[in-house]
Amino acid sequence: MAKKRPTRKVRVGFRQNRQARRRTDDWTRQYHAAEEELEDTARTESVRAKGALSRKRTILVDDRNLPIVDETHWLRGTVTRVYGLICAVNDAHGQAWECTVRRILRTLLIESRAPVSVGDHVWLSDQRKAHDGQPVGVIERVAERVTRLSRRDRRKREHTIVANAEQFLAVVSVAEPRLRPHLADRYIVAALKGELRPILCFNKMDLLDDDGAVELDDERQSGLSVVNVIQEFRDLGYQCLCTSALTRVGLDELRAALRNRITVIAGQSGVGKSSLINALQPGLDLATRAVSNDTQKGKHTTSLAELLPLDFGGFVVDTPGIRAFDLWSIDPGELEAYFVEMIPYVAKCRFGDCSHRHEEACAVIAAVKAGEISERRYFSYLKMFEDV
Ligand code: GDP
Ligand code: ZN
């Protein structure tokens, strides 16, 4: 028998949903009507009508302040899109549902400052009977988030763009455009800052000629080849995939890396992200590829991000917001923590706030001189330090 979670009763006050009344969208209004009806019959809620202005009700909640799970009547799913008050949810069998969020849950979530986001794992109740068999549901409960990619708006409020993403696939090309290792370093930092596991995907391997020269950002270095750079990332412990969307090299490894996970995809335009995804699953196009800057704004208001379901299990996240990886505002001082090879040395620097650029008795600089830290990665750190 499942361990019983502690439950308690809470009184929840409802906000007047004036906006919903004013909506002209019939479709949305229809959902509201259905939701309203259901609320009154839900077994865990008892209504005490005290007039429209002060509506309160008592519900059973657990230690997370969320309605207790009804395992027999609810289905598990993952939110793939959020537009207004409607969420698109994919259940475990790949069935897509259009869901509203139970009003009582919305109230609880707003109080805990966590509305439903793309990537949230949810419990939904099947409302097909009330909707002529259409796959319509109501989100009854949201699972605790494991990770959260967020962005701060101008008023410093945090918005979760994607919940529960596990890994970050940074696609770079080895030719056309030439590999810029510094960009790969930046993606790794962005991933680690977002608490995601970085995976590097070196695409267009079919275009790699013998020497496979790379484009370096610092004149002090030369003579590095694509092969050297990939080996360097592997030595640091990062998973590196070598692919070609054209000749289909490395696609099995890519599929295995994506299977059953939520993966955020990043990469400059033209490196082959869409081609790779399409090669894995024909018809699955990264929708925002052709979206111009103007229309991206419009897209943000409907959904900050979209989860694209993979037919072999898992989701990829498509979001213009995440591709622009200025997303994680990083303080220069925390940068050293994202350069894994520097970590053993930073405690040995003479100054506690050493930036490892020009300080005396810097253990990191000494390690670079001794060949224990790669010059290329160190120069990359310096460049990033300047930029943040
Ligand atoms: P995205 O902007 O990152 O989504 O890049 P696209 O998928 O649109 O690809 C950009 C261009 O690179 C297209 O002309 C593709 O045909 C080409 N391309 C993509 N992957 C490969 C590859 O592995 N090898 C070669 N030779 N060309 C590729
Ligand atoms: Zn130092």
Side-chain angles (χ1 to χ4, degrees):
M1 216 174 95
K3 210 174 111 201
K4 207 163 179 257
R5 300 187 74 150
T7 58
R8 65 194 166 84
K9 289 178 176 182
V10 291
R11 302 265 296 150
V12 186
F14 281 88
R15 290 159 186 249
Q16 287 293 308
N17 205 346
R18 281 180 233 108
Q19 237 187 341
R21 294 273 145 72
R22 252 190 262 130
R23 269 186 193 257
T24 50
D25 190 334
D26 268 355
W27 188 54
T28 318
R29 206 164 46 209
Q30 219 179 330
Y31 278 111
H32 279 290
E35 187 187 338
E36 223 51 49
E37 221 171 90
L38 270 149
E39 258 172 20
D40 295 342
T41 55
R43 297 178 315 160
T44 53
E45 301 171 13
S46 68
V47 185
R48 273 194 221 170
K50 276 189 185 167
L53 287 171
S54 69
R55 288 176 61 203
K56 290 229 177 211
R57 61 189 60 164
T58 306
I59 58 160
L60 280 177
V61 296
D62 65 8
D63 52 350
R64 283 184 55 222
N65 213 25
L66 289 175
I68 52 167
V69 175
D70 180 349
E71 303 259 0
T72 50
H73 294 92
W74 296 354
L75 297 160
R76 274 174 199 272
T78 304
V79 177
T80 58
R81 241 178 316 144
V82 178
Y83 34 105
L85 296 166
I86 312 287
C87 299
V89 177
N90 252 53
D91 72 16
H93 308 287
Q95 166 73 51
W97 298 76
E98 296 281 1
C99 296
T100 50
V101 180
R102 172 81 60 211
R103 178 96 74 86
I104 206 134
L105 180 61
R106 219 153 63 211
T107 307
L108 290 169
L109 290 171
I110 286 167
E111 277 166 11
S112 67
R113 304 171 131 268
V116 178
S117 303
V118 163
D120 265 324
H121 298 308
V122 297
W123 289 97
L124 65 97
S125 58
D126 184 342
Q127 309 295 338
R128 280 180 296 195
K129 272 193 195 138
H131 293 270
D132 302 326
Q134 295 299 307
V136 170
V138 172
I139 294 176
E140 304 282 354
R141 191 188 154 101
V142 179
E144 207 154 357
R145 286 177 186 154
V146 180
T147 66
R148 188 194 305 249
L149 279 184
S150 28
R151 194 176 56 182
R152 281 177 203 287
D153 65 15
R154 271 175 248 105
R155 283 190 270 168
K156 297 270 177 193
R157 283 174 313 190
E158 193 172 339
H159 296 276
T160 298
I161 298 174
V162 188
N164 301 321
E166 291 145 276
Q167 51 189 21
F168 188 95
L169 182 81
V171 182
V172 292
S173 63
V174 296
E176 295 177 27
R178 257 206 289 174
L179 179 64
R180 251 185 89 196
H182 175 68
L183 271 186
D185 295 327
R186 287 184 87 111
Y187 287 127
I188 290 174
V189 169
L192 297 176
K193 168 77 182 176
E195 288 175 45
L196 302 177
R197 193 172 76 87
I199 302 172
L200 296 174
C201 177
F202 296 88
N203 190 40
K204 305 200 188 182
M205 287 304 279
D206 58 287
L207 296 178
L208 190 64
D209 48 31
D210 294 338
D211 63 338
V214 301
E215 190 182 323
L216 295 164
D217 289 85
D218 196 295
E219 307 87 54
R220 284 171 287 181
Q221 345 159 42
S222 62
L224 280 178
S225 71
V226 168
V227 177
N228 299 147
V229 170
I230 295 174
Q231 191 55 49
E232 184 173 273
F233 283 119
R234 288 198 167 131
D235 291 343
L236 290 171
Y238 298 116
Q239 184 178 3
C240 296
L241 303 170
C242 295
T243 59
S244 165
L246 195 73
T247 62
R248 306 188 66 87
V249 164
L251 293 189
D252 289 342
E253 288 86 348
L254 178 60
R255 189 181 292 109
L258 300 182
R259 181 174 286 135
N260 295 336
R261 299 226 158 76
I262 298 181
T263 308
V264 175
I265 298 192
Q268 283 188 308
S269 133
V271 296
K273 296 176 297 297
S274 313
S275 306
L276 282 171
I277 293 304
N278 216 266
L280 287 183
Q281 186 170 323
L284 186 63
D285 214 4
L286 294 180
T288 51
R289 185 178 56 157
V291 175
S292 76
N293 275 327
D294 285 356
T295 48
Q296 273 184 17
K297 266 191 208 143
K299 204 167 169 72
H300 281 193
T301 59
T302 47
S303 193
L304 282 171
E306 186 173 355
L307 243 56
L308 304 176
L310 298 167
D311 53 20
F312 49 87
F315 298 90
V316 292
V317 181
D318 191 19
T319 159
I322 277 171
R323 286 203 199 156
F325 57 98
D326 54 356
L327 187 70
W328 298 273
S329 44
I330 291 172
D331 295 329
E334 63 177 313
L335 203 52
E336 60 182 30
Y338 303 123
F339 277 78
V340 65
E341 67 272 52
M342 289 191 186
I343 295 168
Y345 299 98
V346 294
K348 295 180 189 148
C349 296
R350 178 179 297 164
F351 305 108
D353 61 349
C354 186
S355 69
H356 324 300
R357 289 178 301 165
H358 35 59
E359 287 90 344
E360 269 175 58
C362 169
V364 171
I365 296 175
V368 174
K369 284 190 178 140
E372 286 154 12
I373 290 176
S374 118
E375 276 199 327
R376 190 199 68 69
R377 285 271 294 172
Y378 176 66
F379 291 145
S380 209
Y381 166 83
L382 293 181
K383 185 170 167 56
M384 239 180 277
F385 195 97
E386 239 107 84
D387 292 350
V388 294

